[in-house]
Structures are given as structure tokens and as C-alpha cells.
mmCIF file of all heavy atoms in Angstrom:
data_model
loop_
_atom_site.group_PDB
_atom_site.id
_atom_site.type_symbol
_atom_site.label_atom_id
_atom_site.label_comp_id
_atom_site.label_asym_id
_atom_site.label_seq_id
_atom_site.Cartn_x
_atom_site.Cartn_y
_atom_site.Cartn_z
ATOM 1 N N ALA I 1 80.453 -105.312 56.412
ATOM 2 C CA ALA I 1 81.440 -104.313 56.831
ATOM 3 C C ALA I 1 81.643 -103.233 55.735
ATOM 4 O O ALA I 1 81.786 -102.051 56.051
ATOM 5 C CB ALA I 1 82.750 -104.953 57.206
ATOM 6 N N ASP I 2 81.722 -103.640 54.482
ATOM 7 C CA ASP I 2 82.000 -102.679 53.412
ATOM 8 C C ASP I 2 80.873 -101.660 53.258
ATOM 9 O O ASP I 2 81.133 -100.467 53.177
ATOM 10 C CB ASP I 2 82.201 -103.403 52.052
ATOM 11 C CG ASP I 2 83.527 -104.203 52.042
ATOM 12 O OD1 ASP I 2 84.413 -103.904 52.878
ATOM 13 O OD2 ASP I 2 83.627 -105.123 51.225
ATOM 14 N N LEU I 3 79.665 -102.157 53.241
ATOM 15 C CA LEU I 3 78.500 -101.207 53.106
ATOM 16 C C LEU I 3 78.394 -100.353 54.329
ATOM 17 O O LEU I 3 78.088 -99.179 54.226
ATOM 18 C CB LEU I 3 77.196 -102.017 52.913
ATOM 19 C CG LEU I 3 75.941 -101.215 52.749
ATOM 20 C CD1 LEU I 3 76.022 -100.223 51.544
ATOM 21 C CD2 LEU I 3 74.715 -102.136 52.563
ATOM 22 N N TYR I 4 78.695 -100.870 55.481
ATOM 23 C CA TYR I 4 78.660 -100.104 56.730
ATOM 24 C C TYR I 4 79.666 -98.960 56.674
ATOM 25 O O TYR I 4 79.348 -97.832 56.976
ATOM 26 C CB TYR I 4 78.930 -101.000 57.938
ATOM 27 C CG TYR I 4 78.963 -100.251 59.251
ATOM 28 C CD1 TYR I 4 77.767 -99.898 59.861
ATOM 29 C CD2 TYR I 4 80.189 -99.794 59.841
ATOM 30 C CE1 TYR I 4 77.783 -99.183 61.060
ATOM 31 C CE2 TYR I 4 80.185 -99.106 60.990
ATOM 32 C CZ TYR I 4 78.997 -98.788 61.621
ATOM 33 O OH TYR I 4 79.020 -98.088 62.794
ATOM 34 N N GLN I 5 80.896 -99.264 56.252
ATOM 35 C CA GLN I 5 81.931 -98.239 56.137
ATOM 36 C C GLN I 5 81.516 -97.145 55.156
ATOM 37 O O GLN I 5 81.755 -95.966 55.435
ATOM 38 C CB GLN I 5 83.286 -98.835 55.752
ATOM 39 C CG GLN I 5 84.430 -97.890 55.798
ATOM 40 C CD GLN I 5 84.638 -97.259 57.195
ATOM 41 O OE1 GLN I 5 84.505 -97.933 58.187
ATOM 42 N NE2 GLN I 5 84.998 -96.050 57.197
ATOM 43 N N GLU I 6 80.971 -97.557 54.040
ATOM 44 C CA GLU I 6 80.530 -96.620 53.025
ATOM 45 C C GLU I 6 79.440 -95.674 53.595
ATOM 46 O O GLU I 6 79.491 -94.452 53.441
ATOM 47 C CB GLU I 6 79.969 -97.404 51.843
ATOM 48 C CG GLU I 6 79.407 -96.542 50.724
ATOM 49 C CD GLU I 6 78.778 -97.440 49.659
ATOM 50 O OE1 GLU I 6 79.488 -98.322 49.130
ATOM 51 O OE2 GLU I 6 77.627 -97.205 49.314
ATOM 52 N N GLN I 7 78.468 -96.236 54.330
ATOM 53 C CA GLN I 7 77.435 -95.417 54.933
ATOM 54 C C GLN I 7 77.966 -94.519 56.007
ATOM 55 O O GLN I 7 77.515 -93.381 56.153
ATOM 56 C CB GLN I 7 76.320 -96.339 55.457
ATOM 57 C CG GLN I 7 75.426 -96.936 54.404
ATOM 58 C CD GLN I 7 74.685 -95.847 53.622
ATOM 59 O OE1 GLN I 7 73.971 -95.040 54.150
ATOM 60 N NE2 GLN I 7 74.865 -95.865 52.308
ATOM 61 N N THR I 8 78.901 -95.029 56.823
ATOM 62 C CA THR I 8 79.507 -94.212 57.876
ATOM 63 C C THR I 8 80.181 -92.969 57.289
ATOM 64 O O THR I 8 79.969 -91.851 57.768
ATOM 65 C CB THR I 8 80.513 -95.072 58.669
ATOM 66 O OG1 THR I 8 79.833 -96.110 59.323
ATOM 67 C CG2 THR I 8 81.215 -94.204 59.719
ATOM 68 N N GLU I 9 80.919 -93.159 56.231
ATOM 69 C CA GLU I 9 81.612 -92.035 55.588
ATOM 70 C C GLU I 9 80.589 -91.069 55.006
ATOM 71 O O GLU I 9 80.774 -89.821 55.133
ATOM 72 C CB GLU I 9 82.566 -92.556 54.513
ATOM 73 C CG GLU I 9 83.769 -93.264 55.117
ATOM 74 C CD GLU I 9 84.622 -93.991 54.114
ATOM 75 O OE1 GLU I 9 84.442 -93.781 52.861
ATOM 76 O OE2 GLU I 9 85.504 -94.746 54.517
ATOM 77 N N LEU I 10 79.537 -91.547 54.400
ATOM 78 C CA LEU I 10 78.504 -90.702 53.826
ATOM 79 C C LEU I 10 77.815 -89.914 54.924
ATOM 80 O O LEU I 10 77.639 -88.673 54.785
ATOM 81 C CB LEU I 10 77.459 -91.535 53.036
ATOM 82 C CG LEU I 10 76.250 -90.774 52.500
ATOM 83 C CD1 LEU I 10 76.666 -89.725 51.506
ATOM 84 C CD2 LEU I 10 75.269 -91.748 51.875
ATOM 85 N N MET I 11 77.461 -90.566 56.023
ATOM 86 C CA MET I 11 76.766 -89.845 57.129
ATOM 87 C C MET I 11 77.682 -88.799 57.783
ATOM 88 O O MET I 11 77.226 -87.706 58.084
ATOM 89 C CB MET I 11 76.282 -90.834 58.184
ATOM 90 C CG MET I 11 75.139 -91.725 57.755
ATOM 91 S SD MET I 11 73.693 -90.850 57.113
ATOM 92 C CE MET I 11 73.896 -91.023 55.333
ATOM 93 N N GLU I 12 78.953 -89.099 57.927
ATOM 94 C CA GLU I 12 79.903 -88.122 58.516
ATOM 95 C C GLU I 12 79.971 -86.912 57.621
ATOM 96 O O GLU I 12 79.980 -85.777 58.127
ATOM 97 C CB GLU I 12 81.278 -88.753 58.684
ATOM 98 C CG GLU I 12 81.381 -89.589 59.903
ATOM 99 C CD GLU I 12 82.835 -89.902 60.277
ATOM 100 O OE1 GLU I 12 83.756 -89.161 59.835
ATOM 101 O OE2 GLU I 12 83.017 -90.857 61.017
ATOM 102 N N SER I 13 80.047 -87.072 56.343
ATOM 103 C CA SER I 13 80.099 -85.957 55.408
ATOM 104 C C SER I 13 78.776 -85.175 55.410
ATOM 105 O O SER I 13 78.801 -83.943 55.464
ATOM 106 C CB SER I 13 80.421 -86.504 54.001
ATOM 107 O OG SER I 13 80.339 -85.436 53.079
ATOM 108 N N LEU I 14 77.693 -85.911 55.401
ATOM 109 C CA LEU I 14 76.379 -85.264 55.279
ATOM 110 C C LEU I 14 75.985 -84.497 56.553
ATOM 111 O O LEU I 14 75.519 -83.382 56.460
ATOM 112 C CB LEU I 14 75.323 -86.361 55.000
ATOM 113 C CG LEU I 14 73.908 -85.909 54.647
ATOM 114 C CD1 LEU I 14 73.953 -84.977 53.418
ATOM 115 C CD2 LEU I 14 73.042 -87.123 54.382
ATOM 116 N N VAL I 15 76.259 -85.061 57.736
ATOM 117 C CA VAL I 15 75.849 -84.378 58.986
ATOM 118 C C VAL I 15 76.597 -83.036 59.105
ATOM 119 O O VAL I 15 76.045 -82.043 59.605
ATOM 120 C CB VAL I 15 76.070 -85.247 60.226
ATOM 121 C CG1 VAL I 15 77.518 -85.419 60.562
ATOM 122 C CG2 VAL I 15 75.295 -84.678 61.397
ATOM 123 N N LYS I 16 77.818 -82.943 58.590
ATOM 124 C CA LYS I 16 78.617 -81.738 58.688
ATOM 125 C C LYS I 16 77.979 -80.603 57.842
ATOM 126 O O LYS I 16 78.275 -79.437 58.061
ATOM 127 C CB LYS I 16 80.059 -81.995 58.254
ATOM 128 C CG LYS I 16 80.790 -82.837 59.246
ATOM 129 C CD LYS I 16 82.199 -83.170 58.757
ATOM 130 C CE LYS I 16 82.922 -84.080 59.739
ATOM 131 N NZ LYS I 16 84.230 -84.441 59.286
ATOM 132 N N SER I 17 77.103 -80.966 56.916
ATOM 133 C CA SER I 17 76.467 -79.943 56.073
ATOM 134 C C SER I 17 75.162 -79.427 56.665
ATOM 135 O O SER I 17 74.564 -78.500 56.114
ATOM 136 C CB SER I 17 76.224 -80.512 54.686
ATOM 137 O OG SER I 17 75.151 -81.452 54.727
ATOM 138 N N ILE I 18 74.718 -79.988 57.792
ATOM 139 C CA ILE I 18 73.453 -79.605 58.373
ATOM 140 C C ILE I 18 73.647 -78.328 59.167
ATOM 141 O O ILE I 18 74.509 -78.237 60.050
ATOM 142 C CB ILE I 18 72.918 -80.722 59.332
ATOM 143 C CG1 ILE I 18 72.681 -82.020 58.558
ATOM 144 C CG2 ILE I 18 71.691 -80.287 60.068
ATOM 145 C CD1 ILE I 18 71.645 -81.925 57.469
ATOM 146 N N PRO I 19 72.870 -77.270 58.885
ATOM 147 C CA PRO I 19 72.965 -76.047 59.694
ATOM 148 C C PRO I 19 72.711 -76.388 61.127
ATOM 149 O O PRO I 19 71.785 -77.140 61.472
ATOM 150 C CB PRO I 19 71.891 -75.137 59.121
ATOM 151 C CG PRO I 19 71.668 -75.638 57.701
ATOM 152 C CD PRO I 19 71.899 -77.125 57.791
ATOM 153 N N GLY I 20 73.545 -75.853 62.028
ATOM 154 C CA GLY I 20 73.397 -76.134 63.440
ATOM 155 C C GLY I 20 74.204 -77.300 63.955
ATOM 156 O O GLY I 20 74.319 -77.488 65.166
ATOM 157 N N TYR I 21 74.828 -78.082 63.053
ATOM 158 C CA TYR I 21 75.697 -79.174 63.493
ATOM 159 C C TYR I 21 76.977 -78.525 64.061
ATOM 160 O O TYR I 21 77.512 -77.591 63.489
ATOM 161 C CB TYR I 21 76.066 -80.020 62.262
ATOM 162 C CG TYR I 21 77.265 -80.924 62.543
ATOM 163 C CD1 TYR I 21 77.156 -82.106 63.202
ATOM 164 C CD2 TYR I 21 78.557 -80.519 62.118
ATOM 165 C CE1 TYR I 21 78.267 -82.893 63.432
ATOM 166 C CE2 TYR I 21 79.653 -81.327 62.345
ATOM 167 C CZ TYR I 21 79.506 -82.509 63.039
ATOM 168 O OH TYR I 21 80.624 -83.292 63.246
ATOM 169 N N LEU I 22 77.398 -79.093 65.211
ATOM 170 C CA LEU I 22 78.588 -78.524 65.862
ATOM 171 C C LEU I 22 79.778 -79.476 65.748
ATOM 172 O O LEU I 22 80.868 -79.079 65.359
ATOM 173 C CB LEU I 22 78.315 -78.234 67.322
ATOM 174 C CG LEU I 22 77.219 -77.187 67.577
ATOM 175 C CD1 LEU I 22 76.867 -77.124 69.057
ATOM 176 C CD2 LEU I 22 77.689 -75.845 67.084
ATOM 177 N N SER I 23 79.616 -80.764 66.119
ATOM 178 C CA SER I 23 80.690 -81.703 66.078
ATOM 179 C C SER I 23 80.162 -83.083 66.422
ATOM 180 O O SER I 23 78.987 -83.213 66.833
ATOM 181 C CB SER I 23 81.817 -81.364 67.021
ATOM 182 O OG SER I 23 81.397 -81.433 68.371
ATOM 183 N N HIS I 24 81.011 -84.110 66.328
ATOM 184 C CA HIS I 24 80.637 -85.416 66.790
ATOM 185 C C HIS I 24 81.893 -86.233 67.130
ATOM 186 O O HIS I 24 82.971 -85.887 66.700
ATOM 187 C CB HIS I 24 79.786 -86.186 65.757
ATOM 188 C CG HIS I 24 80.531 -86.673 64.553
ATOM 189 N ND1 HIS I 24 80.797 -85.855 63.462
ATOM 190 C CD2 HIS I 24 81.085 -87.843 64.282
ATOM 191 C CE1 HIS I 24 81.446 -86.534 62.584
ATOM 192 N NE2 HIS I 24 81.684 -87.763 63.046
ATOM 193 N N VAL I 25 81.712 -87.259 67.910
ATOM 194 C CA VAL I 25 82.746 -88.186 68.298
ATOM 195 C C VAL I 25 82.191 -89.600 68.305
ATOM 196 O O VAL I 25 81.016 -89.776 68.675
ATOM 197 C CB VAL I 25 83.378 -87.779 69.689
ATOM 198 C CG1 VAL I 25 82.359 -87.876 70.768
ATOM 199 C CG2 VAL I 25 84.546 -88.632 69.970
ATOM 200 N N SER I 26 82.971 -90.564 67.873
ATOM 201 C CA SER I 26 82.530 -91.958 67.824
ATOM 202 C C SER I 26 83.601 -92.884 68.334
ATOM 203 O O SER I 26 84.801 -92.611 68.180
ATOM 204 C CB SER I 26 82.195 -92.399 66.370
ATOM 205 O OG SER I 26 81.127 -91.649 65.854
ATOM 206 N N PHE I 27 83.206 -93.976 68.931
ATOM 207 C CA PHE I 27 84.131 -95.029 69.271
ATOM 208 C C PHE I 27 83.366 -96.347 69.315
ATOM 209 O O PHE I 27 82.158 -96.369 69.542
ATOM 210 C CB PHE I 27 84.851 -94.770 70.611
ATOM 211 C CG PHE I 27 83.963 -94.631 71.757
ATOM 212 C CD1 PHE I 27 83.572 -95.671 72.547
ATOM 213 C CD2 PHE I 27 83.489 -93.310 72.120
ATOM 214 C CE1 PHE I 27 82.754 -95.522 73.647
ATOM 215 C CE2 PHE I 27 82.656 -93.165 73.210
ATOM 216 C CZ PHE I 27 82.259 -94.244 73.998
ATOM 217 N N ARG I 28 84.122 -97.459 69.091
ATOM 218 C CA ARG I 28 83.524 -98.792 69.116
ATOM 219 C C ARG I 28 84.542 -99.758 69.695
ATOM 220 O O ARG I 28 85.714 -99.717 69.334
ATOM 221 C CB ARG I 28 83.125 -99.232 67.672
ATOM 222 C CG ARG I 28 82.410 -100.584 67.693
ATOM 223 C CD ARG I 28 81.742 -100.869 66.357
ATOM 224 N NE ARG I 28 80.801 -99.869 65.952
ATOM 225 C CZ ARG I 28 79.557 -99.722 66.415
ATOM 226 N NH1 ARG I 28 79.061 -100.583 67.325
ATOM 227 N NH2 ARG I 28 78.766 -98.786 65.976
ATOM 228 N N ASP I 29 84.063 -100.628 70.562
ATOM 229 C CA ASP I 29 84.884 -101.705 71.159
ATOM 230 C C ASP I 29 84.874 -102.855 70.167
ATOM 231 O O ASP I 29 83.790 -103.435 69.915
ATOM 232 C CB ASP I 29 84.306 -102.079 72.492
ATOM 233 C CG ASP I 29 85.159 -103.155 73.189
ATOM 234 O OD1 ASP I 29 85.454 -104.184 72.555
ATOM 235 O OD2 ASP I 29 85.449 -102.963 74.355
ATOM 236 N N SER I 30 86.005 -103.214 69.626
ATOM 237 C CA SER I 30 86.050 -104.278 68.622
ATOM 238 C C SER I 30 85.715 -105.652 69.198
ATOM 239 O O SER I 30 85.225 -106.521 68.482
ATOM 240 C CB SER I 30 87.417 -104.322 67.939
ATOM 241 O OG SER I 30 88.426 -104.537 68.860
ATOM 242 N N ALA I 31 85.969 -105.857 70.459
ATOM 243 C CA ALA I 31 85.677 -107.158 71.073
ATOM 244 C C ALA I 31 84.178 -107.373 71.266
ATOM 245 O O ALA I 31 83.672 -108.465 70.984
ATOM 246 C CB ALA I 31 86.394 -107.271 72.413
ATOM 247 N N THR I 32 83.471 -106.369 71.715
ATOM 248 C CA THR I 32 82.040 -106.508 72.012
ATOM 249 C C THR I 32 81.172 -105.981 70.851
ATOM 250 O O THR I 32 79.952 -106.197 70.855
ATOM 251 C CB THR I 32 81.632 -105.738 73.276
ATOM 252 O OG1 THR I 32 81.845 -104.357 73.089
ATOM 253 C CG2 THR I 32 82.402 -106.234 74.471
ATOM 254 N N ARG I 33 81.785 -105.241 69.941
ATOM 255 C CA ARG I 33 81.137 -104.599 68.810
ATOM 256 C C ARG I 33 80.130 -103.476 69.255
ATOM 257 O O ARG I 33 79.325 -103.019 68.507
ATOM 258 C CB ARG I 33 80.381 -105.628 67.912
ATOM 259 C CG ARG I 33 81.354 -106.633 67.280
ATOM 260 C CD ARG I 33 80.642 -107.607 66.344
ATOM 261 N NE ARG I 33 79.327 -108.014 66.665
ATOM 262 C CZ ARG I 33 78.984 -109.012 67.473
ATOM 263 N NH1 ARG I 33 79.879 -109.684 68.113
ATOM 264 N NH2 ARG I 33 77.717 -109.329 67.699
ATOM 265 N N GLU I 34 80.232 -103.098 70.541
ATOM 266 C CA GLU I 34 79.391 -101.991 71.072
ATOM 267 C C GLU I 34 80.035 -100.652 70.755
ATOM 268 O O GLU I 34 81.291 -100.532 70.874
ATOM 269 C CB GLU I 34 79.202 -102.140 72.566
ATOM 270 C CG GLU I 34 78.392 -103.384 72.932
ATOM 271 C CD GLU I 34 78.255 -103.619 74.423
ATOM 272 O OE1 GLU I 34 79.008 -102.977 75.200
ATOM 273 O OE2 GLU I 34 77.451 -104.435 74.809
#
């Protein structure tokens, strides 16, 4: 979980720097982990 959270934050920051990036949305069901 810790490494995952670190990578998630890095990817969120990084994708925003890509020319042509517009936006993103994420969600996860904690019961099914999907």
C-alpha cells in the first residue's frame, strides 16, 4: 500500500505535466479492490 500510494501521487503529478493532458478521474471500490 505505501509504495502504491507513492507511485499514485508521482503519476498524478507527472501526467499533469504532459502536453495535451486535459484531466483525469479515479475511483476504487474498497470491498472488491476494483
Side-chain angles (χ1 to χ4, degrees):
D2 291 340
L3 181 58
Y4 178 81
Q5 186 60 37
E6 178 184 307
Q7 285 298 303
T8 297
E9 291 171 10
L10 175 62
M11 290 305 102
E12 280 196 21
S13 173
L14 190 57
V15 72
K16 290 175 182 177
S17 73
I18 300 297
Y21 164 83
L22 299 171
S23 66
H24 73 276
V25 61
S26 296
F27 58 90
R28 184 166 305 279
D29 182 310
S30 59
T32 65
R33 298 183 326 275
E34 294 176 346

